[in-house]
């Protein structure tokens, strides 16, 4: 058992770089070459024709992540889902990092990319953010997968193109527009991760009421005047959608400042 759990490393050299492949699917690659990944062949270069494809592997990995989270996505589990030997998957995805790249771009294909900009860049950005949020809620593993830098696959690039077109009326340069898209995506990913965590840790009504009483007592002690004033202000809707809309509006209102 100990031997089976140990990472069995196999080395392969591609274009002068060394990759480390582990049987548990953990990433051992020294980064993913986006040109090789997205512009190179999608199947094995030699050998008999396999009974599965890179797309089938990616779909199986996404289904596992949707059902059980990213930790469940190992090369062994994915191979089992597509009915293949685990070693045969390495021709398509040499490590888990590459597989994550494929997964992120695959689900990004669910984002609509053909809608023309309205000319109101703020409204268009809000639409883009809501589409991203809906995607991440459908695939709760996605915010975590985006927490490390990913390459821009074809589906991601298509959505980026839509966002850049929407930003043209803002009058900023291209570098600023790229930063805005990255900032917007990071905001949505962080907010959705918080939403998911809050939903998982939802408190019973009596606990929420107890916390409210505690804060009221603290605010009334005379030592926290700022908190007392904040708690006395009118409440706001606390549904996830309403909270996201408020935060998004505050973010986008300041995006045309390039200093």
């Amino acid at each position: 058992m100990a031997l089976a759990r140990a990472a069995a490393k196999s080395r392969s050299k591609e274009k002068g770089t060394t990759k480390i492949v582990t049987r548990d699917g953990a990433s051992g690659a020294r980064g993913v070459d986006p040109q090789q990944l997205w512009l190179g062949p999608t199947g094995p270069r030699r050998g008999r024709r396999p009974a599965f494809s890179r797309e089938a592997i990616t779909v199986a990995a996404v289904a596992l992540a949707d059902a059980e989270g990213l930790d469940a996505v190992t090369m062994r589990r994915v191979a089992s889902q597509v009915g293949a030997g685990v070693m045969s998957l390495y021709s398509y995805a040499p490590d888990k990092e590459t597989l994550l790249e494929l997964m992120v771009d695959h689900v990004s294909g669910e984002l609509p990319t053909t809608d023309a900009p309205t000319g109101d860049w703020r409204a268009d950005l809000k639409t883009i953010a809501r589409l991203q949020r809906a995607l991440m809620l459908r695939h709760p593993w996605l915010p975590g997968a985006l927490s490390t830098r990913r390459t821009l696959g074809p589906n991601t690039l298509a959505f980026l193109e839509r966002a850049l077109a929407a930003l043209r009326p803002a009058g900023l340069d291209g570098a600023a527009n790229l930063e805005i898209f990255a900032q917007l995506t990071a905001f949505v990913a962080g907010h959705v991760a918080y939403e998911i965590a809050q939903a998982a840790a939802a408190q019973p009504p009596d606990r929420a009421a107890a916390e409210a009483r505690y804060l009221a007592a603290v605010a009334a002690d005379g030592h926290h005047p700022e908190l007392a004033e904040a708690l006395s202000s009118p409440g706001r809707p606390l549904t996830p959608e309403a909270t996201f809309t408020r935060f998004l509006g505050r973010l986008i209102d300041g995006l045309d400042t390039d200093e």
Side-chain angles (χ1 to χ4, degrees):
M1 291 295 291
L3 181 61
R5 287 194 299 267
K9 299 179 179 179
S10 63
R11 297 177 182 267
S12 64
K13 291 191 175 181
E14 300 177 10
K15 297 185 179 181
T17 62
T18 301
K19 291 187 175 182
I20 309 300
V21 177
T22 59
R23 290 193 180 183
D24 64 359
S27 172
R30 296 176 182 173
V32 176
D33 182 342
Q35 186 169 356
Q36 183 177 333
L37 178 61
W38 300 118
L39 301 182
T42 61
R45 297 176 182 174
R46 53 183 176 268
R48 64 182 181 180
R49 186 175 181 179
F52 52 90
S53 64
R54 188 168 83 172
E55 182 179 5
I57 293 168
T58 306
V59 169
V62 168
L64 271 174
D66 286 348
E68 302 179 38
L70 274 182
D71 288 345
V73 180
T74 65
M75 302 300 271
R76 189 172 301 279
R77 288 288 305 278
V78 175
S80 175
Q81 293 295 312
V82 299
V86 64
M87 294 306 295
S88 64
L89 263 63
Y90 293 137
S91 296
Y92 298 88
D95 48 50
K96 188 172 179 178
E97 183 175 348
T98 302
L99 184 57
L100 282 175
E101 298 282 0
L102 296 171
M103 293 165 62
V104 169
D105 195 68
H106 178 80
V107 298
S108 295
E110 299 174 21
L111 294 166
T113 59
T114 57
D115 295 353
T118 66
D120 183 342
W121 65 270
R122 285 187 173 88
D124 287 343
L125 276 190
K126 290 176 181 178
T127 296
I128 286 170
R130 291 188 182 99
L131 290 170
Q132 289 181 312
R133 175 175 177 262
L135 177 70
M136 294 180 198
L137 288 174
R138 288 196 301 272
H139 304 287
W141 54 270
L142 186 53
L146 293 174
S147 62
T148 56
R149 187 176 183 273
R150 296 288 166 204
T151 66
L152 300 177
N155 292 322
T156 308
L157 283 172
F159 195 66
L160 171 61
E161 188 71 14
R162 173 181 176 174
L164 294 178
L167 278 164
R168 182 171 289 277
L172 301 174
D173 62 30
N177 289 339
L178 288 171
E179 288 178 342
I180 286 173
F181 180 74
Q183 182 181 0
L184 185 69
T185 302
F187 161 74
V188 176
H191 190 88
V192 170
Y194 177 77
E195 280 189 58
I196 293 171
Q198 287 293 297
Q203 297 179 347
D206 57 341
R207 176 61 185 272
E211 289 194 0
R213 290 193 298 270
Y214 164 71
L215 287 176
V218 170
D221 66 8
H223 299 297
H224 303 86
E226 299 296 338
L227 176 61
E229 182 178 350
L231 292 177
S232 67
S233 62
R236 292 177 171 83
L238 297 178
T239 64
E241 292 77 12
T243 302
F244 178 78
T245 297
R246 285 197 304 275
F247 289 4
L248 179 63
R250 291 168 186 160
L251 172 68
I252 289 180
D253 283 345
L255 284 180
D256 57 348
T257 300
D258 190 17
E259 296 180 356

